[in-house]
């Protein structure tokens, strides 16, 4: 069965599901794609490195 | 729109080409190929050096060319070609002029100038720090500056891609959602922004350090942020070459994705999770917690791996569906047997898909597992793995699409079509060889980035097992084969551009064929059973599971617990 949900050509706004609106917004995706690795990889990693105690000789 | 730009419709393919975008695609792709030629030649010399009995380069040249090979092949070739892919996927596929072409040209020239500066510095011999340039090894300041200039250029190009998306939306040149190939290119562009930003964060201080303005760069801090660039840049490649798989399936077979939604979700997994896997380069670093390592490499990465497995299933699946519609319905595999194996666009792409999955994908997950990583960390297994991803995967795919694009862009017929038919097989076999044999040697403990297989001047002698030297010899032979295949590609491309038979201008009289709708629009193939692909997927999963457990077994033997 093929869903024909995009034939609302009669001018009025069809209801676009949330997920699709997200997928259709390149700049939102850009934001998420930059924030995710910045938080989980860079910030978390850098915090761990920064809290390593300095060796005392 | 205030600016009217020239454009044309390709008489054979029906593709739209904005004048400026077309020129930029040509220049970026051709420049990339030149660097591939240089980088590939260095690769062959290194493979011959690591062949114990041949060992042709002296030590300093080995490390010098190792640096140049990594930079030119991995970074310069691939990113130039990716710029071409971004312009193609935005301007051509969305049928809109390129936004800010002057900026795109600025980006091109910055990339070229940066690449040349860094190459000159490496070839002068005082910057043999390898492309990772870990401190405290210090290169000439211009080495870092060249990379930074290159990256700025690439960032400008990436923003021209985003600008073109905006333009297409404003001018309503497409309906509904972005076509899948463009969405894949968007994924690549998003990852590129993070990649380049990370590069700037780490390379600017390193430049200042090499100039003497900063006293100290912490090596672990450097490695962590550097790999946010180094690894993510590989994910730009994956997104770009997967997009091209879909593009080639559409061009050759008129194939539509089995389910557009599922494929789009797979790209979304890439955007969310792929970049976290940068942590697999740091699995043996003390100082980073296991929580950080495991979350980043495995917990989230497996979702990205899932994304790749979805693409690996839906690309052949969509081809199978399209072929079955045409009546190739006998048995499980008639659709595959009757595919155009003599067409380098298809053969290159399909080999790339298989090798990327079986050789590159499986081994990547193995190495990304914290415990198992220790058995092959910093061995030749690592270059073995990534030659399967970045050479068999990305490079072979880019070669395949070039066989389609170059004749279309330059309006010439392919030069030496007989050689072109064989080239993907020669190159594919060679690359499969270097990746398998480097991995084999690595499994026996042979280290990567190491000139002296015999440890001739070590105080305490050490010998690799005899089999390791045999694998290194086989690697050398495969390197020669890959070199032959790579050189053939460059010869065919340059020959086509210079001496290929000019195609007549049919445009005026005959109407152009309608462009392949699968390329320009979102949409799925509808429900068609694809049993052949399903069997292939089961074989893949079986190999995956088997190999995974084999490696745990190895691990237990390393620790003498068995
Ligand atoms: C003719 C084809 C090629 C051959 C024979 C070849 C061979 C080699 C060899 C022998 C090494 C050194 C391994 C070691 O001692 O550590 C190497 C490293 C490497 N290759 Fe290739 N290669 C080829 C093509 C490529 C391409 C097309 C790419 C990228 C798209 C690439 C990316 C790299 C990278 C990133 C390294 C690591 C450099 C480093 O450790 O700093 N190679 N290659
Ligand atoms: Cu990586």
């Amino acid at each position: 069965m093929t869903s024909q949900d995009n034939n609302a050509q009669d001018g009025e706004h069809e209801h676009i599901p949330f997920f699709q609106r997200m997928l259709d917004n390149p700049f939102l995706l850009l934001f998420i794609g930059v924030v995710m690795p910045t938080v989980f990889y860079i910030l978390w990693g850098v915090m761990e490195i920064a809290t390593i105690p300095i060796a005392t000789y | 729109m205030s600016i009217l730009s020239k454009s044309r419709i390709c008489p054979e393919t029906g593709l739209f080409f904005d004048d400026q975008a077309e020129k930029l695609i040509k220049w970026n792709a051709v420049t990339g190929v030149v660097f591939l030629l240089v980088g590939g030649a260095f690769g062959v010399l290194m493979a011959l050096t690591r062949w114990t009995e041949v060992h042709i380069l002296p030590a300093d040249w080995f490390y010098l060319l190792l640096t140049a090979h990594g930079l030119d092949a991995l970074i310069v070739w691939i990113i130039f070609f990716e710029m071409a892919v971004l312009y193609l996927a935005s301007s051509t596929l969305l049928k809109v002029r390129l936004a800010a072409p002057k900026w795109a040209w600025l980006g091109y020239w910055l990339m070229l100038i940066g690449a040349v500066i860094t190459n000159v510095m490496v070839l002068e011999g005082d910057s043999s720090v390898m492309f990772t340039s870990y401190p405290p090894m210090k290169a000439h300041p211009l080495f870092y500056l060249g990379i930074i200039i290159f990256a700025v250029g690439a960032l400008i190009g990436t923003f021209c891609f985003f600008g073109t998306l905006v333009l297409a939306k404003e001018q309503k040149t497409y309906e509904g959602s972005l076509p899948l190939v463009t969405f894949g290119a968007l994924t690549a562009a998003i990852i590129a922004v993070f990649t380049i930003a990370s590069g700037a964060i780490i390379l600017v201080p390193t430049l200042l350090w090499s100039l003497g303005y900063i006293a100290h760069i912490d090596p672990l801090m450097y490695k962590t942020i550097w790999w946010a660039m180094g690894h993510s840049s590989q994910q730009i490649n994956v997104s770009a070459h997967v997009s091209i798989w879909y593009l080639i399936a559409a061009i050759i077979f008129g194939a539509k994705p089995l389910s557009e939604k599922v494929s789009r979700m797979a790209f979304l997994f890439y955007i969310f999770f792929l970049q976290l896997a940068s942590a697999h380069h740091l699995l043996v670093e003390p100082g980073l917690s296991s929580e950080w390592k495991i979350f980043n490499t495995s917990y989230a990465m497996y979702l990205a791996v899932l994304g790749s497995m979805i693409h690996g299933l839906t690309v052949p699946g969509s081809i199978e569906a399209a072929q079955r519609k045409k009546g190739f319905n006998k048995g499980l595999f008639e659709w595959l047997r009757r595919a155009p194996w003599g067409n380098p666009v298809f053969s290159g792409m399909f080999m790339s898909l298989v090798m990327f999955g079986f050789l590159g994908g499986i081994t990547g997950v193995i190495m990304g597992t914290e415990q198992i990583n220790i058995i092959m960390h910093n061995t030749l297994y690592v270059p073995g793995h990534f030659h399967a991803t970045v050479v068999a995967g990305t490079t072979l795919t880019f070669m395949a699409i070039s066989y389609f694009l170059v004749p279309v862009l330059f309006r010439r017929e392919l030069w030496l079509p007989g050689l072109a038919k064989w080239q993907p097989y020669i190159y594919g076999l060679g690359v499969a060889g270097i990746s398998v044999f480097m991995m084999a040697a690595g499994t026996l403990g042979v280290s990567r980035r190491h000139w002296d297989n015999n440890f001739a001047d070590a105080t305490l002698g050490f010998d690799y097992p005899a089999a390791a030297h045999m694998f290194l010899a086989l690697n050398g032979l495969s390197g020669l084969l890959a070199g032959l295949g790579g050189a053939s590609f460059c010869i065919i491309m340059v020959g086509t551009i210079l001496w290929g038979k000019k195609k007549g201008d049919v445009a005026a009289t005959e109407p152009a064929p309608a462009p392949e709708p699968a390329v320009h629009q979102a949409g799925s193939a509808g429900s068609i059973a694809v049993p052949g692909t399903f069997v292939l997927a089961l074989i893949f999963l079986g190999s995956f599971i088997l190999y995974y457990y084999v490696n745990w077994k190895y691990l237990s033997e390393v620790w003498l617990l068995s």
Side-chain angles (χ1 to χ4, degrees):
Chain A
M1 16 162 245
T2 45
S3 60
Q4 297 290 115
D5 46 14
N6 50 357
N7 55 1
Q9 292 135 331
D10 38 19
E12 58 184 88
H13 259 332
E14 60 184 313
H15 173 73
I16 304 175
F18 166 76
F19 244 106
Q20 189 179 339
R21 261 186 307 186
M22 181 169 97
L23 284 164
D24 285 344
N25 185 342
F27 293 98
L28 177 62
L29 294 177
L30 174 63
F31 178 76
I32 300 174
V34 171
V35 167
M36 282 286 293
T38 304
V39 171
F40 287 111
Y41 177 85
I42 295 194
L43 291 183
W44 181 2
V46 164
M47 265 161 53
E48 286 196 352
I49 297 168
T51 49
I52 299 173
I54 306 284
T56 45
Y57 295 97
Chain B
M1 282 283 42
S2 52
I3 310 161
L4 276 178
S5 63
K6 279 192 289 184
S7 64
R8 71 177 178 100
I9 301 285
C10 169
E12 276 103 34
T13 59
L15 288 177
F16 167 93
F17 286 106
D18 164 62
D19 195 43
Q20 286 297 314
E22 181 170 16
K23 286 206 180 87
L24 279 155
I25 295 172
K26 283 182 185 170
W27 280 77
N28 278 286
V30 171
T31 312
V33 171
V34 173
F35 281 95
L36 173 66
L37 184 65
V38 175
F42 294 165
V44 176
L45 289 173
M46 279 146 41
L48 293 177
T49 305
R50 299 238 39 187
W51 181 347
T52 315
E53 289 79 16
V54 176
H55 209 219
I56 52 171
L57 295 174
D60 49 352
W61 273 94
F62 175 75
Y63 293 108
L64 189 156
L65 292 189
L66 184 59
T67 309
H69 172 72
L71 281 166
D72 285 340
L74 187 72
I75 302 191
V76 185
W77 140 246
I78 290 194
I79 296 190
F80 265 116
F81 202 90
E82 272 158 1
M83 289 300 136
V85 172
L86 288 185
Y87 299 145
L88 180 84
S90 53
S91 169
T92 299
L93 297 190
L94 298 180
K95 299 182 210 154
V96 65
R97 74 171 176 86
L98 192 73
K102 289 221 173 74
W103 283 94
W105 281 111
L106 177 67
Y108 170 83
W109 285 109
L110 288 177
M111 285 170 67
L112 184 59
I113 292 167
V116 169
I117 292 179
T118 301
N119 262 281
V120 170
M121 288 304 118
V122 173
L123 293 174
E124 283 196 339
D126 52 3
S127 298
S128 298
V129 292
M130 289 162 279
F131 77 108
T132 42
S133 53
Y134 290 152
M137 281 193 291
K138 199 183 273 178
H140 192 285
L142 288 178
F143 171 92
Y144 307 105
L145 189 66
I147 301 178
I148 293 169
I149 294 176
F150 180 87
V152 171
L155 191 61
I156 294 176
T158 309
F159 279 118
C160 290
F161 168 83
F162 280 104
T164 309
L165 295 190
V166 173
L167 208 59
K169 181 136 204 169
E170 270 174 19
Q171 302 186 358
K172 298 201 169 56
T173 62
Y174 65 98
E175 268 172 42
S177 302
L178 285 176
L180 189 63
V181 176
T182 310
F183 191 75
L186 169 64
T187 306
I190 289 174
I191 299 179
V193 172
F194 174 75
T195 302
I196 295 169
S198 313
I201 294 175
I202 198 60
L203 285 177
V204 171
T206 311
L207 168 66
L208 296 177
W209 165 74
S210 74
L211 287 166
Y213 294 118
I214 291 181
H216 179 71
I217 298 269
D218 178 67
L220 182 55
M221 199 70 100
Y222 175 92
K223 271 188 164 181
T224 306
I225 301 175
W226 193 90
W227 278 112
M229 166 178 77
H231 175 80
S232 305
S233 68
Q234 303 322 303
Q235 315 302 19
I236 310 176
N237 306 343
V238 174
S239 312
H241 79 228
V242 170
S243 311
I244 294 181
W245 291 348
Y246 283 108
L247 179 64
I248 291 179
I251 291 172
I252 304 238
F253 300 97
K256 287 184 180 167
L258 288 181
S259 159
E260 170 102 20
K261 274 191 197 142
V262 172
S263 298
R264 221 173 266 270
M265 279 311 284
F267 278 123
L268 193 68
F269 282 154
Y270 279 5
I271 296 174
F272 282 10
F273 305 119
L274 207 50
Q275 307 162 73
L276 302 181
S278 307
H280 60 212
H281 297 274
L282 301 153
L283 281 173
V284 303
E285 299 299 324
L288 287 161
S289 68
S290 280
E291 288 84 352
W292 180 85
K293 289 174 183 168
I294 291 176
F295 176 82
N296 279 290
T297 60
S298 61
Y299 192 71
M301 188 174 91
Y302 295 142
L303 287 173
V305 171
L306 180 66
S308 286
M309 295 209 291
I310 292 173
H311 293 307
L313 185 77
T314 64
V315 173
S318 66
I319 294 176
E320 178 170 1
Q323 288 281 79
R324 282 187 188 275
K325 259 192 202 155
K326 287 183 200 139
F328 298 126
N329 252 322
K330 244 183 274 142
L332 279 177
F333 291 117
E334 195 196 12
W335 62 275
L336 192 56
R337 272 202 317 278
R338 302 286 290 272
W341 291 101
N343 180 348
V345 183
F346 169 76
S347 62
M349 169 261 166
F350 205 82
M351 275 195 285
S352 154
L353 182 119
V354 171
M355 290 200 265
F356 180 75
F358 278 86
L359 295 180
I362 294 182
T363 58
V365 174
I366 304 291
M367 279 195 301
T369 307
E370 190 184 7
Q371 296 90 328
I372 317 180
N373 178 277
I374 197 83
I375 9 180
M376 49 276 241
H377 199 86
N378 271 347
T379 68
L380 264 186
Y381 193 95
V382 179
H385 151 77
F386 67 66
H387 281 77
T389 56
V390 90
V391 192
T394 310
T395 302
L396 194 52
T397 301
F398 287 180
M399 286 177 170
I401 192 71
S402 301
Y403 284 114
F404 170 79
L405 271 186
V406 169
V408 167
L409 290 170
F410 290 88
R411 308 279 310 117
R412 289 187 187 255
E413 274 165 31
L414 213 52
W415 199 58
L416 300 180
L419 180 61
K421 213 168 163 172
W422 286 102
Q423 187 275 336
Y425 296 99
I426 303 172
Y427 193 68
L429 195 67
V431 172
I434 54 175
S435 79
V436 167
F437 295 126
M438 281 202 266
M439 287 196 269
T443 306
L444 296 175
V446 179
S447 42
R448 70 182 287 199
R449 296 178 159 177
H450 184 214
W451 174 74
D452 183 8
N453 295 334
N454 286 323
F455 300 90
D457 57 1
T459 332
L460 295 174
F462 179 78
D463 286 322
Y464 288 131
H469 297 287
M470 182 190 71
F471 287 135
L472 288 167
L474 290 170
N475 176 50
L477 289 171
S478 309
L480 286 172
L481 195 62
L484 185 70
S488 313
F489 171 75
C490 297
I491 290 170
I492 295 167
M493 286 304 134
V494 173
T496 303
I497 294 169
L498 297 180
W499 309 298
K501 210 172 113 217
K502 280 212 168 110
K503 291 186 188 174
D505 284 322
V506 268
T509 48
E510 281 172 45
E516 195 50 71
V519 176
H520 295 286
Q521 281 161 22
S524 310
S527 45
I528 292 181
V530 287
T533 302
F534 194 63
V535 169
L536 291 180
L538 285 182
I539 297 175
F540 177 81
L541 283 179
S543 328
F544 195 159
I545 293 169
L546 189 69
Y547 191 61
Y548 188 73
Y549 284 104
V550 164
N551 275 285
W552 280 96
K553 178 88 175 56
Y554 270 151
L555 182 63
S556 71
E557 284 163 10
V558 171
W559 284 346
L560 300 177
L561 293 175
S562 51

